[in-house]
Amino acid sequence: MVYKTSCLLLPLALVFLDFIITSSLAKPIPTTFINVLTYGAKPDGSTDSTKAFLAAWQVACASVNPTTIIVPKGRFLVGNLVFQGKKCTDTPISIRIAGSLIAPEDYRIVASSEQWIWFESVTDVSIYGGILDAQGSSLWNCKNNGGSNCPTGAKTLLFSGSNNININGLTSINSQKFHIVINSCNNVNIDGVKVSADANSPNTDGIHIQSSHLVSITNSRIGTGDDCISIGPGSTHVSIQGIQCGPGHGISIGSLGIAEEEQGVENVTVSNVDFTATSNGVRIKTWAKNSKSFARNIVFQHINMQMVKNPIIIDQHYCFYKPCPKQESGVEVSNVRYEDIHGTSSTDVAVKLDCSKEKPCTGIVMDNVNLALQLVNQPAQASCSNANGLANDVVIPFTPCLKRDILMT
């Protein structure tokens, strides 16, 4: 029997040995390196390098080998950049930035196109390092001073209709509008980014996700005048971990339900986040109008709140445009879990579950939640309407609409 077994294993061993020899002889695919200086880019902060960056992209796009575009140290002035991927070979493209890309000082130049740097329909694109400075402060001033001719502004970095995207170690400052936008993309990893804008800068969301799937945001520091991270309709399987948020409006799912026929949001996990002096902590907001949208299977866990105005909030009566319609939200909020959330609230009401009469929130679970008033270190209050679920372990403040889990008593 031993002899027969050895004979059977011998062909397998030879096949394995042949695989090892063949693999060792296989040559690695070479990487092509492209320097934007070769195409006329100038790191002086005043010469328009837009055409040079686009030329470098065209070469990388047509390459049959993996390509790395190198942006060396210095300040590169660029206008609107649109990197099209529809005609690319889909071999991996890496962009390694040692310096800074700077938008024109006149905000109207890039604001007219609604995005400053746009990657459209690309695959296997990675960005490493670098600073994007959109110089948006003059537009903020225009808006904050009630200017009637202020444009909406440009998003700093937009990926749309794209797959397998990596953004690592990037810094985005002074965006005119949203800093980083992921729209209709699949498999996106964002790690170690820094996002910064003044606390009074309007609509400068740090990272906005919409209609995208398998998105991971990790180990990042975000402080803006709006949401640190916002998750819009049609987004699924989103993981957010290791974030420092503040100043800003917190991490928001929504707003949802502005349109009646709208996709929902599901399977979102927000974990290990520090909120400091933000207007909200973890928020779900939906428009007070008819909608078939939903937010479900959401987990907020391992979160620290310091001086946060609304640490935990579900707002199903959100309305920005006045007068607001006297309607109830049709967005269905269900299966939302709050676990291991501690810290301080800057207002009396630390937990606010303001749900819809038409579609009450269901499956709300709180487990090990302890929020105190900021100054007096006393338990805060909870406000609760049209919501139901369970309260496990310690839940402070007491949330009357959540039943005590019998198994935990």
Side-chain angles (χ1 to χ4, degrees):
M1 294 295 292
V2 174
Y3 175 76
K4 290 181 179 180
T5 302
S6 300
C7 289
L8 290 171
L9 291 175
L10 182 59
L12 294 175
L14 291 174
V15 170
F16 183 65
L17 180 62
D18 181 67
F19 172 77
I20 293 175
I21 294 173
T22 303
S23 299
S24 64
L25 295 176
K27 295 181 179 179
I29 301 174
T31 299
T32 301
F33 292 90
I34 298 172
N35 194 315
V36 294
L37 299 180
T38 304
Y39 298 90
K42 302 293 183 183
D44 56 13
S46 58
T47 302
D48 188 350
S49 297
T50 305
K51 291 182 178 179
F53 275 75
L54 294 175
W57 172 261
Q58 289 301 320
V59 174
C61 174
S63 176
V64 295
N65 296 328
T67 304
T68 296
I69 298 174
I70 298 173
V71 182
K73 292 181 178 180
R75 293 165 58 84
F76 295 87
L77 176 66
V78 293
N80 294 110
L81 293 172
V82 181
F83 299 116
Q84 291 277 358
K86 292 181 180 179
K87 297 182 180 180
C88 291
T89 59
D90 287 344
T91 52
I93 298 176
S94 296
I95 303 173
R96 295 191 175 270
I97 307 172
S100 302
L101 274 61
I102 303 168
E105 191 172 348
D106 183 351
Y107 60 78
R108 292 169 295 184
I109 295 175
V110 297
S112 59
S113 67
E114 298 186 5
Q115 49 268 328
W116 176 28
I117 302 171
W118 183 12
F119 289 84
E120 183 182 20
S121 302
V122 302
T123 299
D124 289 323
V125 169
S126 300
I127 299 176
Y128 297 97
I131 298 173
L132 306 180
D133 184 357
Q135 301 204 90
S137 59
S138 55
L139 178 56
W140 308 340
N141 292 334
C142 178
K143 291 181 177 180
N144 289 332
N145 291 328
S148 58
N149 296 318
C150 307
T152 300
K155 309 170 193 73
T156 289
L157 177 64
L158 167 65
F159 278 90
S160 64
S162 300
N163 301 298
N164 306 332
I165 304 303
N166 289 285
I167 303 173
N168 193 297
L170 179 71
T171 297
S172 175
I173 61 176
N174 304 321
S175 184
Q176 291 187 1
K177 198 178 178 186
F178 296 176
H179 286 256
I180 299 172
V181 176
I182 307 299
N183 185 26
S184 300
C185 296
N186 294 291
N187 192 25
V188 178
N189 292 287
I190 301 174
D191 181 69
V193 302
K194 296 179 181 179
V195 178
S196 178
D198 289 353
N200 67 346
S201 58
N203 305 120
T204 54
D205 293 47
I207 301 173
H208 178 69
I209 306 162
Q210 185 156 325
S211 301
S212 296
H213 314 286
L214 292 173
V215 179
S216 173
I217 305 171
T218 55
N219 307 317
S220 297
R221 182 192 297 269
I222 304 171
T224 73
D226 212 299
D227 293 332
C228 290
I229 299 172
S230 54
I231 303 170
S235 299
T236 66
H237 296 93
V238 177
S239 176
I240 299 169
Q241 297 185 53
I243 308 298
Q244 295 182 29
C245 172
H249 296 178
I251 293 179
S252 295
I253 294 175
S255 53
L256 303 178
I258 192 170
E260 184 170 357
E261 299 293 335
E262 181 184 89
Q263 293 180 313
V265 171
E266 61 183 329
N267 299 325
V268 175
T269 299
V270 178
S271 180
N272 296 103
V273 179
D274 291 327
F275 293 95
T276 304
T278 53
S279 57
N280 303 291
V282 290
R283 173 170 63 161
I284 299 173
K285 58 176 179 175
T286 74
W287 285 81
K289 57 191 300 186
N290 293 331
S291 176
K292 297 178 181 178
S293 187
F294 58 82
R296 63 192 179 207
N297 302 335
I298 314 296
V299 177
F300 301 111
Q301 62 184 4
H302 314 314
I303 291 172
N304 180 49
M305 308 276 188
Q306 294 298 325
M307 302 177 293
V308 175
K309 186 176 180 181
N310 298 297
I312 295 175
I313 179 170
I314 297 178
D315 179 7
Q316 290 212 261
H317 296 92
Y318 177 76
C319 178
F320 182 77
Y321 305 106
K322 308 297 182 181
C324 296
K326 294 182 179 180
Q327 298 179 16
E328 290 293 316
S329 176
V331 177
E332 189 171 355
V333 178
S334 62
N335 298 336
V336 183
R337 184 177 185 89
Y338 302 89
E339 183 178 58
D340 186 26
I341 299 177
H342 300 81
T344 59
S345 172
S346 62
T347 61
D348 290 343
V349 180
V351 176
K352 183 177 182 180
L353 307 180
D354 184 15
C355 296
S356 169
K357 291 181 181 178
E358 181 179 322
K359 290 286 181 68
C361 299
T362 60
I364 307 298
V365 176
M366 291 195 181
D367 188 345
N368 190 17
V369 174
N370 194 338
L371 296 166
L373 290 178
Q374 172 189 336
L375 297 178
V376 297
N377 199 32
Q378 294 293 320
Q381 300 175 22
S383 172
C384 191
S385 58
N386 305 309
N388 62 78
L390 298 175
N392 300 337
D393 200 7
V394 177
V395 175
I396 303 173
F398 171 70
T399 308
C401 59
L402 303 182
K403 296 180 180 179
R404 183 73 174 172
D405 190 346
I406 298 175
L407 296 177
M408 298 298 295
T409 59

